[in-house]
Amino acid sequence: MTRRTFILLGIILLPLTITAAPADIRANPDRMEQRIKALSAFGANADGGVDRIAFSEADLAGRVYISDLMREAGLSVRLDTAGNIIGRREGSEPYLPVIMFGSHIDSVPGGGNYDGDVGVIGAIEVIQLLQDNGIRTRHPLEVVSFTDEEGGLTGSSAMIGGVDYRMLSEVSHSGMTIGEGIRAVGGDPNRLDLAERKPAELKAFIELHIEQGAFLDEENIDIGVVEGIVGIRWWDVTIEGLANHAGTTPMNRRWDAMVTAAEYILAVNRVATGMPGGQVATVGRIHAKPGAPNVIPGEVVLSLEIRDLSAAKMQRVFNEISREAERIADARFTPIRHAEIGVASLPAPTDERMRRIIAASAGDLGLSFKFMPSGAGHDAQDMALITPTGMIFVPSVKGVSHSPKEFTSAEDMANGASVLLRTVLAIDAGALE
Ligand SMILES: [Zn+2]
């Protein structure tokens, strides 16, 4: 080839190589780990975990730290009226919709140092890598740290225009109401409408998060490609027996609500275990009346929870449990009533194209991956209602989460951020089209 054609080829290929995510760009595990450590100082407790409850002093301090990191990475930082921290990097085509990614930094009481944090630190890492490598995307990018994820997906609900305003007067773990908390972090609970984003403004949303389960760790897989966030339904289950003297009532003349409850609980477990698929069903709470050692329980109230990625599947599990309940109730002469207490949350499947892009990104980086549901709730389930959404999981050692023992290695965090970077660049280059 002549020198001239070589130069020409170079000119033609140059823009391609810039947008095609050079395979050698990888997240920096040391930098990520150091930042996770620095963040974990805000709200650090004696167990090695954090109490960084939304709206607490620790949360406020952590938010300042995150905003500073965003600025250092070259983002222009603003707060929306829900208190979501949003760092923006302009693209070369300013009218294109935003590619948004991020997670949250608030914790549950007695929480760990990775839930949410990895997604925010990982998102900032992506921006840092783009800066360091002189890559300018076509689309504007926004890194988001959502307000009060653990208290009910407050920030992302506002972003999709889905705030239940009664929620604002609920007292959160911080001691403040959610409305007061939003004000304390710099938002305006009376103007949450201004935090709302329209589908046309957004190109996609991606959340990097720890798995909070043990599948990836046990199977030694690098990346989870999330198929969706499971839906949750709850019931109060009331079993009616007859309270009577535990000493004078013979065994064959009892309508013992507790014995029925025992059979019911086993049936729930059997039904959920017996069907193929990933559905789960749980009885997590039991209350017997009158609740004395010397009285046969006259009434037992239980909770029933069912989770699955498919609403139809959840219904099938419930129907099967109801049938079993009827059989048990008839045999024991103790009626069982189910009363559903609101739809806790609908299943939120991720976008199929996003799954493919994330899987391809992991594959290109030589990482192993697996498609899997998320059993825990995430801000991504809100965002999925307004824009193509994907989620990237990294392993949680032994599946421990919402605990000071939560742990994800620096290498795994960096793998997640590298996949996030590649995913963002693929979307920027038109992979969703
Ligand atoms: Zn989380």
Side-chain angles (χ1 to χ4, degrees):
M1 141 187 357
T2 66
R3 195 184 143 86
R4 209 173 140 197
T5 44
F6 183 74
I7 291 168
L8 259 174
L9 255 179
I11 291 167
I12 293 163
L13 286 174
L14 192 64
L16 284 177
T17 51
I18 284 178
T19 51
D24 51 344
I25 301 185
R26 300 269 183 158
N28 181 335
D30 296 334
R31 178 165 58 196
M32 287 187 72
E33 187 165 54
Q34 181 258 320
R35 288 176 169 182
I36 284 283
K37 280 217 173 93
L39 178 58
S40 69
F42 305 106
N45 61 32
D47 303 329
V50 284
D51 290 296
R52 195 163 53 245
I53 291 134
F55 316 129
S56 64
E57 288 297 321
D59 185 36
L60 288 170
R63 292 167 58 93
V64 171
Y65 174 69
I66 290 301
S67 307
D68 287 346
L69 281 188
M70 284 184 178
R71 278 188 210 99
E72 258 173 57
L75 294 169
S76 58
V77 180
R78 71 180 180 95
L79 282 186
D80 68 13
T81 52
N84 295 313
I85 307 171
I86 299 168
R88 184 174 167 106
R89 188 176 194 260
E90 295 303 335
S92 59
E93 297 177 38
Y95 298 107
L96 289 180
V98 171
I99 302 174
M100 185 184 277
F101 41 103
S103 192
H104 63 97
I105 63 154
D106 64 306
S107 81
V108 292
N113 299 317
Y114 300 86
D115 177 355
D117 308 324
V118 171
V120 174
I121 298 293
I124 295 171
E125 178 71 13
V126 165
I127 299 295
Q128 191 83 57
L129 293 169
L130 295 175
Q131 285 297 78
D132 294 351
N133 290 280
I135 299 173
R136 178 125 191 243
T137 53
R138 293 166 52 228
H139 296 78
L141 306 180
E142 290 187 10
V143 171
V144 59
S145 180
F146 288 110
T147 302
D148 186 30
E149 192 268 352
E150 300 289 2
L153 308 181
T154 303
S156 55
S157 302
M159 205 175 271
I160 66 163
V163 170
D164 175 354
Y165 280 83
R166 284 168 306 183
M167 190 181 90
L168 296 180
S169 53
E170 274 174 28
V171 179
S172 71
H173 283 296
S174 64
M176 278 182 257
T177 65
I178 290 178
E180 289 163 350
I182 288 174
R183 201 177 292 287
V185 299
D188 181 354
N190 297 324
R191 294 312 311 271
L192 292 181
D193 55 311
L194 297 176
E196 195 177 328
R197 304 298 288 265
K198 297 278 172 266
E201 294 173 49
L202 298 173
K203 181 75 184 170
F205 175 77
I206 315 128
E207 183 167 5
L208 166 65
H209 204 281
I210 59 168
E211 181 197 344
Q212 302 179 281
F215 287 113
L216 296 177
D217 185 42
E218 276 172 7
E219 295 172 32
N220 218 350
I221 292 169
D222 300 314
I223 295 292
V225 182
V226 179
E227 295 167 299
I229 291 113
V230 300
I232 307 176
R233 290 175 71 182
W234 280 339
W235 290 263
D236 274 335
V237 185
T238 306
I239 302 170
E240 213 182 295
L242 183 69
N244 210 340
H245 198 291
T248 59
T249 315
M251 294 310 282
N252 61 357
R253 294 223 199 136
R254 294 180 176 212
W255 292 274
D256 186 332
M258 188 69 100
V259 173
T260 305
E263 283 196 38
Y264 175 87
I265 294 166
L266 289 172
V268 167
N269 192 272
R270 202 167 49 237
V271 167
T273 311
M275 289 182 182
Q279 68 285 337
V280 289
T282 308
V283 175
R285 191 192 59 210
I286 182 165
H287 185 238
K289 288 185 206 166
N294 54 357
V295 184
I296 298 162
E299 185 183 273
V300 170
V301 181
L302 304 169
S303 62
L304 170 65
E305 185 197 84
I306 299 176
R307 300 190 186 209
D308 194 72
L309 258 188
S310 142
K313 183 65 165 299
M314 288 199 284
Q315 187 61 44
R316 275 211 301 286
V317 173
F318 177 69
N319 292 347
E320 185 65 30
I321 289 173
S322 300
R323 262 197 298 279
E324 282 291 289
E326 237 167 84
R327 188 184 58 73
I328 296 164
D330 287 350
R332 296 239 165 235
F333 302 101
T334 49
I336 302 177
R337 281 195 322 274
H338 288 94
E340 182 155 14
I341 44 179
V343 174
S345 63
L346 295 168
T350 52
D351 188 277
E352 232 181 288
R353 296 164 300 170
M354 295 287 281
R355 290 178 217 163
R356 258 189 288 119
I357 297 167
I358 292 168
S361 301
D364 290 347
L365 290 165
L367 300 170
S368 54
F369 61 89
K370 150 182 192 141
F371 293 89
M372 62 193 302
S374 168
H378 296 289
D379 291 307
Q381 76 197 56
D382 281 340
M383 299 307 288
L385 297 175
I386 60 165
T387 192
T389 291
M391 267 196 99
I392 302 164
F393 273 174
V394 289
S396 299
V397 170
K398 294 193 165 67
V400 178
S401 182
H402 283 187
S403 151
K405 295 207 165 62
E406 202 170 77
F407 182 72
T408 296
S409 74
E411 197 196 1
D412 282 334
M413 288 193 278
N415 284 343
S418 300
V419 172
L420 177 59
L421 169 69
R422 223 180 158 84
T423 300
V424 167
L425 290 175
I427 294 166
D428 187 55
L432 272 178
E433 264 75 51

